[in-house]
């Protein structure tokens, strides 16, 4: 199983560099707060994600996350300018909430384990690749693809926490159920099999393994944050021979700022 996941990650990364994608699911950033004490608050912000977490007891915390992807390009003939981390045809996002358990693992409280379970609801829209191939001006809505989805996730993380540096590894397992899929009048007009393939995505819940590496550096209350996230579908039976990453973005990279309000910063030097 471990070797299969590693192989899938490699294949997804290589494929994403060269393929023409139409993403109806872009994984939101993993919120790995690594809280250590009661009433601690952490918030993270990037161009596409806003994340918060608050400890209501010494071991229990609440989490709320929002994502909005706005790379939506209607310029005919220029809709194929996608790279590993950005699909210029995608817009949408998700709102989610979670409850979690956290616990420092050593006496100095520098290693922290946490696990969160939660629910989210979202939607995305993009353009079928047929819009790129149109030789005459077209209404982009004729090529529109839209999805809604419910998402359940379980997310364990382990990491190192210091006033200057934080580093975390998270293993998020998500189950996504798509519904209300919509296709424009001309989407898939020359390929009925592709249309059927797209609509079959909503027939069953799809599990994803979404590991993430998060790094923060700064001092005390404010840090720079960056994260590399992979999203691997664990069941690709739906795709009937089509590329596994055709509709699901396989890699996400984000940078932003992290704010942490906690008493333990003031006690850090005293305990040192």
């Amino acid at each position: 199983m471990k070797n299969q996941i590693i192989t899938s990650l490699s294949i997804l990364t290589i494929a994403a560099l060269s393929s023409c994608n139409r993403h109806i699911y872009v994984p939101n950033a993993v919120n790995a707060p690594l809280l250590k004490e009661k009433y601690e608050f952490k918030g993270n912000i990037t161009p596409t994600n806003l994340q918060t977490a608050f400890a209501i007891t010494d071991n229990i915390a609440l989490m709320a996350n929002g994502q909005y992807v706005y790379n939506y390009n209607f310029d005919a003939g220029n809709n194929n300018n996608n790279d590993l981390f950005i699909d210029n045809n995608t817009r949408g996002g998700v709102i989610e909430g979670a409850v979690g358990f956290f616990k420092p693992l050593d006496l100095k409280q520098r290693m922290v384990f946490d696990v969160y379970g939660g629910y989210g609801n979202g939607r995305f829209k993009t353009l079928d690749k047929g819009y790129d191939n149109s030789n005459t001006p077209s209404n982009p809505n004729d090529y529109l693809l839209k999805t809604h989805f419910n998402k359940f996730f379980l997310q364990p993380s382990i990491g190192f926490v210091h006033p200057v540096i934080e580093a975390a590894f998270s293993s998020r397992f998500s189950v996504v159920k798509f519904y209300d899929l919509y296709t424009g009048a001309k989407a898939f007009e020359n390929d009925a099999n592709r249309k059927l393939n797209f609509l079959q995505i909503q027939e069953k819940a799809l599990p994803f393994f979404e590991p993430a590496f998060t790094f923060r550096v700064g001092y005390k209350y404010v840090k720079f944050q960056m994260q590399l996230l992979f999203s691997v579908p664990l069941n690709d039976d739906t795709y009937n021979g089509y590329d596994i990453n055709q509709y699901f973005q396989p890699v996400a990279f984000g940078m932003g700022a992290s704010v942490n309000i906690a008493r333990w910063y003031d006690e850090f030097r005293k305990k040192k």
Side-chain angles (χ1 to χ4, degrees), residues 107-125:
L107 294 178
K108 292 185 177 181
Q109 297 189 336
R110 296 188 183 182
M111 294 298 299
V112 178
F113 169 81
D114 62 32
V115 57
Y116 290 84
Y119 163 80
N121 180 265
R123 61 181 181 175
F124 283 100
K125 59 183 178 180

Side-chain angles (χ1 to χ4, degrees), residues 140-237:
N141 290 323
D142 289 340
Y143 296 88
L144 195 64
L145 306 179
K146 293 196 296 185
T147 64
H148 295 75
F149 62 91
N150 293 310
K151 171 185 173 183
F152 299 89
F153 65 93
L154 182 67
Q155 175 194 302
S157 302
I158 189 169
F160 173 81
V161 182
H162 185 273
V164 177
I165 294 175
E166 297 181 25
F169 172 72
S170 306
S171 298
R172 185 171 68 189
F173 294 89
S174 301
V175 176
V176 181
K177 182 64 173 69
F178 293 95
Y179 65 95
D180 288 348
L181 269 66
Y182 168 85
T183 63
K186 295 184 178 180
F188 310 116
E189 63 179 344
N190 296 319
D191 194 337
N193 289 331
R194 283 188 65 242
K195 183 174 183 177
L196 177 62
N197 172 250
F198 175 77
L199 294 176
Q200 284 179 332
I201 293 174
Q202 65 184 337
E203 292 186 356
K204 58 185 177 181
L206 300 176
F208 291 81
F209 174 56
E210 298 177 325
F213 301 88
T214 306
F215 178 76
R216 303 182 184 106
V217 61
Y219 185 64
K220 284 191 174 182
Y221 310 108
V222 180
K223 295 182 177 68
F224 165 78
Q225 174 179 293
M226 60 181 178
Q227 183 180 96
L228 178 63
L229 165 68
F230 296 90
S231 183
V232 183
L234 296 180
N235 185 347
D236 62 346
D237 293 342

